[in-house]
mmCIF file of all heavy atoms in Angstrom:
data_model
loop_
_atom_site.group_PDB
_atom_site.id
_atom_site.type_symbol
_atom_site.label_atom_id
_atom_site.label_comp_id
_atom_site.label_asym_id
_atom_site.label_seq_id
_atom_site.Cartn_x
_atom_site.Cartn_y
_atom_site.Cartn_z
ATOM 1 N N TRP A 786 435.438 57.320 216.885
ATOM 2 C CA TRP A 786 435.020 58.506 216.278
ATOM 3 C C TRP A 786 435.045 59.688 217.276
ATOM 4 O O TRP A 786 435.377 60.863 216.873
ATOM 5 C CB TRP A 786 433.529 58.378 215.791
ATOM 6 C CG TRP A 786 432.900 59.638 215.441
ATOM 7 C CD1 TRP A 786 433.211 60.452 214.385
ATOM 8 C CD2 TRP A 786 431.927 60.288 216.155
ATOM 9 N NE1 TRP A 786 432.421 61.553 214.423
ATOM 10 C CE2 TRP A 786 431.608 61.543 215.517
ATOM 11 C CE3 TRP A 786 431.138 59.997 217.324
ATOM 12 C CZ2 TRP A 786 430.681 62.416 215.910
ATOM 13 C CZ3 TRP A 786 430.200 60.946 217.790
ATOM 14 C CH2 TRP A 786 429.968 62.117 217.089
ATOM 15 N N LEU A 789 438.426 61.034 217.256
ATOM 16 C CA LEU A 789 438.583 61.858 216.076
ATOM 17 C C LEU A 789 438.043 63.235 216.297
ATOM 18 O O LEU A 789 438.678 64.237 215.910
ATOM 19 C CB LEU A 789 437.984 61.171 214.821
ATOM 20 C CG LEU A 789 438.629 60.063 214.206
ATOM 21 C CD1 LEU A 789 437.740 59.517 213.013
ATOM 22 C CD2 LEU A 789 440.020 60.523 213.555
ATOM 23 N N LYS A 790 436.815 63.302 216.763
ATOM 24 C CA LYS A 790 436.185 64.579 216.895
ATOM 25 C C LYS A 790 436.886 65.439 217.961
ATOM 26 O O LYS A 790 436.782 66.657 217.863
ATOM 27 C CB LYS A 790 434.689 64.277 217.346
ATOM 28 C CG LYS A 790 433.795 65.498 217.255
ATOM 29 C CD LYS A 790 432.395 65.086 217.490
ATOM 30 C CE LYS A 790 431.353 66.272 217.538
ATOM 31 N NZ LYS A 790 431.315 66.934 216.221
ATOM 32 N N ALA A 791 437.556 64.826 218.935
ATOM 33 C CA ALA A 791 438.330 65.526 219.934
ATOM 34 C C ALA A 791 439.722 65.918 219.383
ATOM 35 O O ALA A 791 440.480 66.486 220.119
ATOM 36 C CB ALA A 791 438.460 64.705 221.177
ATOM 37 N N GLY A 792 440.027 65.585 218.051
ATOM 38 C CA GLY A 792 441.326 65.930 217.576
ATOM 39 C C GLY A 792 442.461 65.009 217.976
ATOM 40 O O GLY A 792 443.566 65.401 217.976
ATOM 41 N N PRO A 794 443.462 61.758 216.524
ATOM 42 C CA PRO A 794 443.404 60.568 215.585
ATOM 43 C C PRO A 794 444.277 59.407 215.880
ATOM 44 O O PRO A 794 443.880 58.309 215.617
ATOM 45 C CB PRO A 794 443.765 61.254 214.191
ATOM 46 C CG PRO A 794 444.554 62.469 214.624
ATOM 47 C CD PRO A 794 443.999 62.965 215.870
ATOM 48 N N HIS A 822 435.534 53.525 207.062
ATOM 49 C CA HIS A 822 435.429 54.950 206.743
ATOM 50 C C HIS A 822 436.116 55.816 207.805
ATOM 51 O O HIS A 822 436.935 56.711 207.543
ATOM 52 C CB HIS A 822 433.955 55.338 206.556
ATOM 53 C CG HIS A 822 433.714 56.745 206.301
ATOM 54 N ND1 HIS A 822 432.498 57.382 206.486
ATOM 55 C CD2 HIS A 822 434.595 57.798 205.974
ATOM 56 C CE1 HIS A 822 432.606 58.644 206.178
ATOM 57 N NE2 HIS A 822 433.884 58.956 205.855
ATOM 58 N N LEU A 823 435.754 55.536 209.071
ATOM 59 C CA LEU A 823 436.233 56.391 210.178
ATOM 60 C C LEU A 823 437.768 56.072 210.370
ATOM 61 O O LEU A 823 438.550 57.053 210.658
ATOM 62 C CB LEU A 823 435.502 56.101 211.509
ATOM 63 C CG LEU A 823 434.118 56.590 211.537
ATOM 64 C CD1 LEU A 823 433.333 56.012 212.735
ATOM 65 C CD2 LEU A 823 434.031 58.107 211.535
ATOM 66 N N GLY A 825 439.770 55.410 208.027
ATOM 67 C CA GLY A 825 440.427 56.141 206.897
ATOM 68 C C GLY A 825 440.575 57.548 207.243
ATOM 69 O O GLY A 825 441.618 58.162 206.935
ATOM 70 N N VAL A 826 439.607 58.134 207.937
ATOM 71 C CA VAL A 826 439.725 59.590 208.367
ATOM 72 C C VAL A 826 440.875 59.695 209.371
ATOM 73 O O VAL A 826 441.627 60.698 209.231
ATOM 74 C CB VAL A 826 438.407 60.038 208.995
ATOM 75 C CG1 VAL A 826 438.581 61.410 209.592
ATOM 76 C CG2 VAL A 826 437.303 60.072 207.927
ATOM 77 N N ALA A 827 441.047 58.802 210.281
ATOM 78 C CA ALA A 827 442.140 58.869 211.202
ATOM 79 C C ALA A 827 443.446 58.767 210.496
ATOM 80 O O ALA A 827 444.392 59.563 210.800
ATOM 81 C CB ALA A 827 442.012 57.736 212.270
ATOM 82 N N ARG A 829 444.093 59.512 207.340
ATOM 83 C CA ARG A 829 444.264 60.743 206.633
ATOM 84 C C ARG A 829 444.781 61.885 207.459
ATOM 85 O O ARG A 829 445.726 62.601 207.142
ATOM 86 C CB ARG A 829 442.933 61.164 206.032
ATOM 87 C CG ARG A 829 442.950 62.449 205.154
ATOM 88 C CD ARG A 829 441.592 63.075 204.978
ATOM 89 N NE ARG A 829 441.056 63.596 206.306
ATOM 90 C CZ ARG A 829 439.813 63.882 206.514
ATOM 91 N NH1 ARG A 829 438.933 63.752 205.574
ATOM 92 N NH2 ARG A 829 439.458 64.371 207.682
ATOM 93 N N ASP A 830 444.162 62.070 208.632
ATOM 94 C CA ASP A 830 444.592 63.198 209.542
ATOM 95 C C ASP A 830 445.957 62.968 210.135
ATOM 96 O O ASP A 830 446.623 63.947 210.510
ATOM 97 C CB ASP A 830 443.571 63.385 210.679
ATOM 98 C CG ASP A 830 442.303 63.994 210.185
ATOM 99 O OD1 ASP A 830 442.167 64.250 208.961
ATOM 100 O OD2 ASP A 830 441.311 64.139 211.000
ATOM 101 N N PHE A 841 439.061 53.887 202.618
ATOM 102 C CA PHE A 841 438.023 54.536 201.907
ATOM 103 C C PHE A 841 437.494 53.728 200.725
ATOM 104 O O PHE A 841 436.275 53.631 200.517
ATOM 105 C CB PHE A 841 438.466 55.958 201.356
ATOM 106 C CG PHE A 841 438.734 56.946 202.414
ATOM 107 C CD1 PHE A 841 439.713 57.945 202.231
ATOM 108 C CD2 PHE A 841 438.016 56.965 203.600
ATOM 109 C CE1 PHE A 841 439.955 58.967 203.204
ATOM 110 C CE2 PHE A 841 438.283 57.941 204.593
ATOM 111 C CZ PHE A 841 439.218 58.856 204.402
ATOM 112 N N TRP A 855 423.824 58.041 200.337
ATOM 113 C CA TRP A 855 424.237 59.061 201.331
ATOM 114 C C TRP A 855 425.569 58.678 201.926
ATOM 115 O O TRP A 855 426.461 59.540 202.039
ATOM 116 C CB TRP A 855 423.148 59.081 202.446
ATOM 117 C CG TRP A 855 423.418 60.140 203.492
ATOM 118 C CD1 TRP A 855 423.005 61.459 203.493
ATOM 119 C CD2 TRP A 855 424.363 60.050 204.594
ATOM 120 N NE1 TRP A 855 423.455 62.142 204.560
ATOM 121 C CE2 TRP A 855 424.305 61.293 205.253
ATOM 122 C CE3 TRP A 855 425.130 59.128 205.149
ATOM 123 C CZ2 TRP A 855 425.129 61.620 206.391
ATOM 124 C CZ3 TRP A 855 425.869 59.326 206.321
ATOM 125 C CH2 TRP A 855 425.884 60.589 206.918
ATOM 126 N N ALA A 858 428.294 59.417 199.477
ATOM 127 C CA ALA A 858 428.632 60.832 199.387
ATOM 128 C C ALA A 858 429.568 61.272 200.551
ATOM 129 O O ALA A 858 430.459 62.066 200.436
ATOM 130 C CB ALA A 858 427.318 61.640 199.308
ATOM 131 N N ALA A 859 429.221 60.767 201.734
ATOM 132 C CA ALA A 859 430.017 61.146 202.957
ATOM 133 C C ALA A 859 431.444 60.673 202.810
ATOM 134 O O ALA A 859 432.370 61.369 203.084
ATOM 135 C CB ALA A 859 429.372 60.588 204.217
ATOM 136 N N VAL A 860 431.640 59.428 202.333
ATOM 137 C CA VAL A 860 433.027 58.970 202.171
ATOM 138 C C VAL A 860 433.749 59.730 201.153
ATOM 139 O O VAL A 860 434.949 60.086 201.318
ATOM 140 C CB VAL A 860 433.035 57.408 201.816
ATOM 141 C CG1 VAL A 860 434.484 56.920 201.503
ATOM 142 C CG2 VAL A 860 432.397 56.647 202.948
ATOM 143 N N VAL A 861 433.193 60.074 199.950
ATOM 144 C CA VAL A 861 433.830 60.804 198.957
ATOM 145 C C VAL A 861 434.250 62.124 199.401
ATOM 146 O O VAL A 861 435.361 62.636 198.994
ATOM 147 C CB VAL A 861 432.883 60.948 197.718
ATOM 148 C CG1 VAL A 861 433.405 61.960 196.628
ATOM 149 C CG2 VAL A 861 432.587 59.609 197.031
ATOM 150 N N HIS A 862 433.515 62.835 200.250
ATOM 151 C CA HIS A 862 433.930 64.139 200.818
ATOM 152 C C HIS A 862 435.316 63.953 201.526
ATOM 153 O O HIS A 862 436.203 64.770 201.423
ATOM 154 C CB HIS A 862 432.927 64.691 201.749
ATOM 155 C CG HIS A 862 431.958 65.565 201.116
ATOM 156 N ND1 HIS A 862 432.282 66.824 200.639
ATOM 157 C CD2 HIS A 862 430.605 65.368 200.784
ATOM 158 C CE1 HIS A 862 431.197 67.367 200.103
ATOM 159 N NE2 HIS A 862 430.196 66.537 200.188
ATOM 160 N N ASP A 863 435.398 62.785 202.290
ATOM 161 C CA ASP A 863 436.654 62.611 202.972
ATOM 162 C C ASP A 863 437.818 62.165 202.012
ATOM 163 O O ASP A 863 439.032 62.472 202.341
ATOM 164 C CB ASP A 863 436.528 61.548 204.050
ATOM 165 C CG ASP A 863 435.718 62.156 205.289
ATOM 166 O OD1 ASP A 863 436.019 63.246 205.732
ATOM 167 O OD2 ASP A 863 434.716 61.438 205.714
ATOM 168 N N VAL A 864 437.499 61.502 200.945
ATOM 169 C CA VAL A 864 438.480 61.183 199.924
ATOM 170 C C VAL A 864 438.977 62.499 199.298
ATOM 171 O O VAL A 864 440.218 62.641 199.088
ATOM 172 C CB VAL A 864 437.986 60.191 198.912
ATOM 173 C CG1 VAL A 864 438.961 60.051 197.788
ATOM 174 C CG2 VAL A 864 437.523 58.917 199.501
ATOM 175 N N VAL A 865 438.107 63.369 199.020
ATOM 176 C CA VAL A 865 438.491 64.646 198.396
ATOM 177 C C VAL A 865 439.431 65.438 199.297
ATOM 178 O O VAL A 865 440.437 65.960 198.828
ATOM 179 C CB VAL A 865 437.238 65.567 198.021
ATOM 180 C CG1 VAL A 865 437.577 66.852 197.663
ATOM 181 C CG2 VAL A 865 436.399 64.892 196.860
ATOM 182 N N ARG A 866 439.205 65.455 200.587
ATOM 183 C CA ARG A 866 440.017 66.154 201.524
ATOM 184 C C ARG A 866 441.410 65.448 201.539
ATOM 185 O O ARG A 866 442.444 66.146 201.651
ATOM 186 C CB ARG A 866 439.423 66.103 202.944
ATOM 187 C CG ARG A 866 438.241 67.051 203.140
ATOM 188 C CD ARG A 866 437.749 66.974 204.571
ATOM 189 N NE ARG A 866 436.708 68.018 204.783
ATOM 190 C CZ ARG A 866 436.974 69.230 205.165
ATOM 191 N NH1 ARG A 866 438.158 69.621 205.370
ATOM 192 N NH2 ARG A 866 435.979 70.086 205.326
ATOM 193 N N ALA A 867 441.449 64.100 201.512
ATOM 194 C CA ALA A 867 442.735 63.435 201.562
ATOM 195 C C ALA A 867 443.498 63.799 200.306
ATOM 196 O O ALA A 867 444.715 63.975 200.316
ATOM 197 C CB ALA A 867 442.460 61.897 201.605
ATOM 198 N N ALA A 870 444.945 67.191 200.536
ATOM 199 C CA ALA A 870 446.020 67.160 201.529
ATOM 200 C C ALA A 870 447.258 66.576 200.893
ATOM 201 O O ALA A 870 448.431 67.049 201.310
ATOM 202 C CB ALA A 870 445.657 66.409 202.754
ATOM 203 N N PHE A 891 425.541 64.587 197.660
ATOM 204 C CA PHE A 891 426.915 65.083 197.762
ATOM 205 C C PHE A 891 426.948 66.585 197.926
ATOM 206 O O PHE A 891 427.549 67.157 198.777
ATOM 207 C CB PHE A 891 427.713 64.685 196.552
ATOM 208 C CG PHE A 891 429.197 65.000 196.657
ATOM 209 C CD1 PHE A 891 430.055 64.261 197.356
ATOM 210 C CD2 PHE A 891 429.662 66.174 195.947
ATOM 211 C CE1 PHE A 891 431.392 64.623 197.486
ATOM 212 C CE2 PHE A 891 430.977 66.548 196.084
ATOM 213 C CZ PHE A 891 431.860 65.731 196.775
ATOM 214 N N GLY A 893 424.712 68.611 198.991
ATOM 215 C CA GLY A 893 424.128 69.106 200.290
ATOM 216 C C GLY A 893 425.100 68.920 201.461
ATOM 217 O O GLY A 893 424.859 69.567 202.525
ATOM 218 N N MET A 894 426.144 68.149 201.262
ATOM 219 C CA MET A 894 427.131 67.915 202.288
ATOM 220 C C MET A 894 428.399 68.780 202.173
ATOM 221 O O MET A 894 429.417 68.541 202.761
ATOM 222 C CB MET A 894 427.582 66.482 202.286
ATOM 223 C CG MET A 894 426.560 65.465 202.607
ATOM 224 S SD MET A 894 427.302 63.808 202.604
ATOM 225 C CE MET A 894 425.908 62.852 202.867
ATOM 226 N N HIS A 895 428.252 69.942 201.417
ATOM 227 C CA HIS A 895 429.386 70.729 201.089
ATOM 228 C C HIS A 895 430.226 71.060 202.317
ATOM 229 O O HIS A 895 429.659 71.523 203.309
ATOM 230 C CB HIS A 895 428.937 72.061 200.396
ATOM 231 C CG HIS A 895 430.074 72.898 200.007
ATOM 232 N ND1 HIS A 895 430.907 72.545 198.887
ATOM 233 C CD2 HIS A 895 430.574 74.029 200.476
ATOM 234 C CE1 HIS A 895 431.854 73.434 198.816
ATOM 235 N NE2 HIS A 895 431.671 74.405 199.739
ATOM 236 N N GLY A 896 431.469 70.743 202.310
ATOM 237 C CA GLY A 896 432.347 71.036 203.451
ATOM 238 C C GLY A 896 432.338 69.999 204.489
ATOM 239 O O GLY A 896 432.996 70.226 205.604
ATOM 240 N N ARG A 897 431.718 68.951 204.341
ATOM 241 C CA ARG A 897 431.613 67.945 205.391
ATOM 242 C C ARG A 897 433.006 67.265 205.700
ATOM 243 O O ARG A 897 433.707 66.907 204.738
ATOM 244 C CB ARG A 897 430.626 66.814 204.986
ATOM 245 C CG ARG A 897 430.240 65.840 206.156
ATOM 246 C CD ARG A 897 429.309 64.759 205.686
ATOM 247 N NE ARG A 897 428.717 64.075 206.759
ATOM 248 C CZ ARG A 897 429.360 62.993 207.445
ATOM 249 N NH1 ARG A 897 430.584 62.672 207.019
ATOM 250 N NH2 ARG A 897 428.781 62.468 208.458
ATOM 251 N N ASN A 898 433.342 67.066 207.031
ATOM 252 C CA ASN A 898 434.559 66.517 207.344
ATOM 253 C C ASN A 898 434.174 65.312 208.334
ATOM 254 O O ASN A 898 433.626 65.568 209.374
ATOM 255 C CB ASN A 898 435.384 67.505 208.098
ATOM 256 C CG ASN A 898 436.796 66.942 208.521
ATOM 257 O OD1 ASN A 898 437.027 65.697 208.356
ATOM 258 N ND2 ASN A 898 437.643 67.823 209.108
ATOM 259 N N GLY A 899 434.540 64.121 207.924
ATOM 260 C CA GLY A 899 434.217 62.965 208.753
ATOM 261 C C GLY A 899 434.806 62.967 210.199
ATOM 262 O O GLY A 899 434.345 62.250 211.026
ATOM 263 N N ALA A 900 435.891 63.797 210.393
ATOM 264 C CA ALA A 900 436.464 63.906 211.675
ATOM 265 C C ALA A 900 435.642 64.739 212.618
ATOM 266 O O ALA A 900 435.917 64.742 213.848
ATOM 267 C CB ALA A 900 437.901 64.420 211.533
ATOM 268 N N GLU A 901 434.653 65.458 212.174
ATOM 269 C CA GLU A 901 433.860 66.371 212.953
ATOM 270 C C GLU A 901 432.399 66.032 212.970
ATOM 271 O O GLU A 901 431.728 66.174 213.970
ATOM 272 C CB GLU A 901 434.064 67.823 212.445
ATOM 273 C CG GLU A 901 435.497 68.292 212.518
ATOM 274 C CD GLU A 901 435.663 69.677 211.911
ATOM 275 O OE1 GLU A 901 434.668 70.202 211.353
ATOM 276 O OE2 GLU A 901 436.819 70.240 211.990
ATOM 277 N N ALA A 902 431.895 65.523 211.819
ATOM 278 C CA ALA A 902 430.456 65.262 211.739
ATOM 279 C C ALA A 902 430.066 64.086 212.445
ATOM 280 O O ALA A 902 430.803 63.104 212.594
ATOM 281 C CB ALA A 902 430.088 65.190 210.262
ATOM 282 N N VAL A 903 428.787 63.989 212.817
ATOM 283 C CA VAL A 903 428.209 62.743 213.438
ATOM 284 C C VAL A 903 428.143 61.747 212.222
ATOM 285 O O VAL A 903 427.769 62.129 211.123
ATOM 286 C CB VAL A 903 426.805 62.996 214.006
ATOM 287 C CG1 VAL A 903 426.166 61.726 214.460
ATOM 288 C CG2 VAL A 903 426.921 64.031 215.108
ATOM 289 N N PRO A 904 428.586 60.497 212.360
ATOM 290 C CA PRO A 904 428.772 59.609 211.269
ATOM 291 C C PRO A 904 427.620 59.432 210.338
ATOM 292 O O PRO A 904 427.807 59.389 209.131
ATOM 293 C CB PRO A 904 429.072 58.231 211.947
ATOM 294 C CG PRO A 904 429.712 58.714 213.215
ATOM 295 C CD PRO A 904 428.995 59.942 213.619
ATOM 296 N N ASP A 905 426.356 59.388 210.785
ATOM 297 C CA ASP A 905 425.274 59.187 209.816
ATOM 298 C C ASP A 905 424.248 60.260 209.863
ATOM 299 O O ASP A 905 423.089 60.014 209.670
ATOM 300 C CB ASP A 905 424.624 57.746 209.972
ATOM 301 C CG ASP A 905 424.154 57.627 211.486
ATOM 302 O OD1 ASP A 905 424.393 58.559 212.317
ATOM 303 O OD2 ASP A 905 423.605 56.502 211.714
ATOM 304 N N GLU A 906 424.641 61.571 210.229
ATOM 305 C CA GLU A 906 423.713 62.575 210.173
ATOM 306 C C GLU A 906 424.260 63.631 209.144
ATOM 307 O O GLU A 906 425.473 63.780 208.941
ATOM 308 C CB GLU A 906 423.639 63.350 211.571
ATOM 309 C CG GLU A 906 422.898 62.524 212.592
ATOM 310 C CD GLU A 906 422.746 63.294 213.807
ATOM 311 O OE1 GLU A 906 422.778 64.554 213.804
ATOM 312 O OE2 GLU A 906 422.577 62.637 214.873
ATOM 313 N N ASP A 907 423.300 64.384 208.552
ATOM 314 C CA ASP A 907 423.692 65.500 207.682
ATOM 315 C C ASP A 907 424.260 66.646 208.500
ATOM 316 O O ASP A 907 423.869 66.825 209.628
ATOM 317 C CB ASP A 907 422.515 65.954 206.863
ATOM 318 C CG ASP A 907 422.059 65.044 205.839
ATOM 319 O OD1 ASP A 907 423.039 64.497 205.176
ATOM 320 O OD2 ASP A 907 420.896 64.724 205.618
#
Side-chain angles (χ1 to χ4, degrees):
W786 169 70
L789 281 176
K790 194 170 177 65
H822 175 196
L823 290 171
V826 172
R829 180 200 67 193
D830 289 359
F841 290 150
W855 185 94
V860 176
V861 170
H862 269 288
D863 286 314
V864 173
V865 167
R866 283 182 177 273
F891 185 78
M894 296 180 185
H895 182 71
R897 188 181 195 279
N898 181 358
E901 298 173 358
V903 177
D905 53 0
E906 289 184 25
D907 288 317

